[in-house]
Amino acid sequence: MTTPKDLYEALVAFHKPEEAGNVDVGKLKYALYARKSTTSDERQERSIPDQKLDCFETAKSLGIPREHITVIEEQESAKEPDIRPRFKQMIEDIKQGKYEAVLTWHPDRLARNMADAGKIIDLLDKKIIKKLTFATFSFEDTPMGKMLLGISFVLSKQYSDHLSEVVQRGQRRALEEGKYIHTAKHGYYKDPNDFLRPDGEYWILIKRAFGMRTEGRTQEEIADFLNKNRYTRAPSDGENRKPYKMTVQKVSVMLRDPTYAGVLMYGGIIVNLTEAYDFEQAVSVDDFMKINELSD
């Protein structure tokens, strides 16, 4: 060491290793964040075990000891900020010094919204996150690297928004065709085309329930009638029919639902099911209006 430059570089390397680019990744405390949402727009993403496997292989190649890695798993969407409790806790733990680095599969596992993305970039700027490593994305902690990371977050948000729009558009089209996209209504099952069809004896029970109400019977009496006759709801695909307990609240919701009179309402979509296909009403429109004390 003979020049001021040599002394400068030595002091920076000792006191500010992150500025010298000499961060010893083998000594840092890592949070391995793995996330998979159960919502429709992310069901096809890599599973959490697959993400962890790729991350551990990356850690091994970089010389990061397994014992320096704490795994944080979450099954929540990253489309909206402040809805992931484990991500939120991880950020707080990073600020408190529990973790010094983050390892994850791809930037979109950390955030698909700009608020959470901003938190990550801010912690990088402040050198609180000393190392950010991805299994499937190349990142360098430089101004250019942060810009590319920001672009990746933006693209993840755009992809998420677009996919959500596509899903909603598909659901709207299906509903307008008379198809039902959720669990079948009481007394009906869904055929292969997702049309509501009478569910045999159980449809007759529901039809009788509406009849009882037009006769002035109480909702409690209707619930008791359905339970005594062992009413069960049509199972979803691949499930077995299970015992079902009808309550006064469930009866109340059912009696107010115009679907049973032939008109499907879902969000802002209203569909005349009798015009969409050969839908069979469980109650006439006239009786439905009387039951709910509605006028023209």
Side-chain angles (χ1 to χ4, degrees):
M1 188 181 301
T2 58
T3 67
K5 184 175 183 297
D6 294 334
L7 178 60
Y8 169 81
E9 290 178 350
L11 290 173
V12 168
F14 183 79
H15 291 285
K16 298 183 177 182
E18 68 278 4
E19 293 184 11
N22 295 326
V23 176
D24 187 347
V25 297
K27 295 182 179 179
L28 298 179
K29 294 172 289 185
Y30 276 81
L32 191 167
Y33 184 77
R35 180 187 67 81
K36 178 176 172 62
S37 173
T38 56
T39 56
S40 59
D41 62 335
E42 289 193 76
R43 286 177 184 167
Q44 303 305 314
E45 296 289 354
R46 291 288 292 273
S47 68
I48 286 179
D50 284 345
Q51 292 176 43
K52 288 163 55 180
L53 180 61
D54 289 348
C55 286
F56 279 126
E57 288 180 353
T58 298
K60 184 177 180 180
S61 68
L62 295 174
I64 303 170
R66 187 79 170 250
E67 59 269 21
H68 287 190
I69 301 173
T70 300
V71 177
I72 300 170
E73 300 180 15
E74 192 144 53
Q75 294 192 17
E76 295 287 348
S77 171
K79 289 169 58 178
E80 301 293 336
D82 300 323
I83 62 173
R84 292 178 290 160
R86 293 183 180 178
F87 175 83
K88 186 175 182 179
Q89 185 60 53
M90 180 183 74
I91 294 297
E92 291 303 314
D93 289 342
I94 291 171
K95 291 178 180 178
Q96 297 301 319
K98 183 176 180 179
Y99 309 118
E100 304 165 289
V102 176
L103 171 62
T104 191
W105 190 68
H106 186 275
D108 66 6
R109 299 302 83 201
L110 290 175
R112 281 188 163 180
N113 69 83
M114 297 317 296
D116 288 342
K119 293 175 185 177
I120 297 296
I121 293 177
D122 181 60
L123 292 174
L124 283 169
D125 284 339
K126 293 176 179 177
K127 302 299 180 182
I128 296 174
I129 293 180
K130 295 181 172 61
K131 194 73 175 176
L132 180 58
T133 304
F134 301 99
T136 60
F137 182 85
S138 179
F139 170 71
E140 293 183 5
D141 192 359
T142 63
M144 178 62 72
K146 289 172 187 172
M147 183 189 75
L148 294 175
L149 178 63
I151 290 173
S152 177
F153 283 135
V154 169
L155 291 175
S156 295
K157 182 179 187 306
Q158 189 275 335
Y159 171 79
S160 179
D161 291 346
H162 173 68
L163 197 55
S164 177
E165 181 182 0
V166 169
V167 170
Q168 290 177 7
R169 188 185 304 126
Q171 289 180 340
R172 182 181 183 87
R173 185 181 301 114
L175 288 165
E176 289 174 345
E177 293 174 355
K179 298 178 180 180
Y180 197 67
I181 61 177
H182 290 299
T183 303
K185 295 289 185 179
H186 290 295
Y188 294 89
Y189 71 93
K190 293 200 298 183
D191 71 10
N193 294 316
D194 288 333
F195 292 145
L196 293 173
R197 302 293 186 183
D199 189 21
E201 62 183 290
Y202 303 104
W203 180 76
I204 294 174
L205 288 174
I206 294 301
K207 190 173 181 178
R208 177 59 190 143
F210 277 96
M212 291 174 66
R213 189 58 172 165
T214 62
E215 296 165 3
R217 308 289 286 275
T218 67
Q219 294 178 3
E220 185 175 3
E221 288 176 315
I222 294 171
D224 288 341
F225 163 77
L226 293 172
N227 290 329
K228 288 177 180 177
N229 284 276
R230 298 182 180 179
Y231 165 76
T232 59
R233 198 168 192 169
S236 300
D237 293 340
E239 295 182 351
N240 295 321
R241 191 178 286 271
K242 301 176 182 177
Y244 187 91
K245 182 174 177 58
M246 187 63 78
T247 64
V248 171
Q249 183 180 9
K250 291 174 182 177
V251 168
S252 176
V253 171
M254 180 182 73
L255 294 175
R256 295 197 307 270
D257 189 340
T259 304
Y260 297 94
V263 179
L264 171 64
M265 291 184 63
Y266 189 92
I269 301 172
I270 304 175
V271 182
N272 183 344
L273 295 178
T274 63
E275 291 183 353
Y277 64 101
D278 54 337
F279 176 81
E280 292 192 49
Q281 300 165 240
V283 61
S284 69
V285 172
D286 185 53
D287 284 344
F288 178 79
M289 299 286 280
K290 291 176 181 176
I291 287 171
N292 290 284
E293 299 180 348
L294 300 172
S295 67
D296 291 343

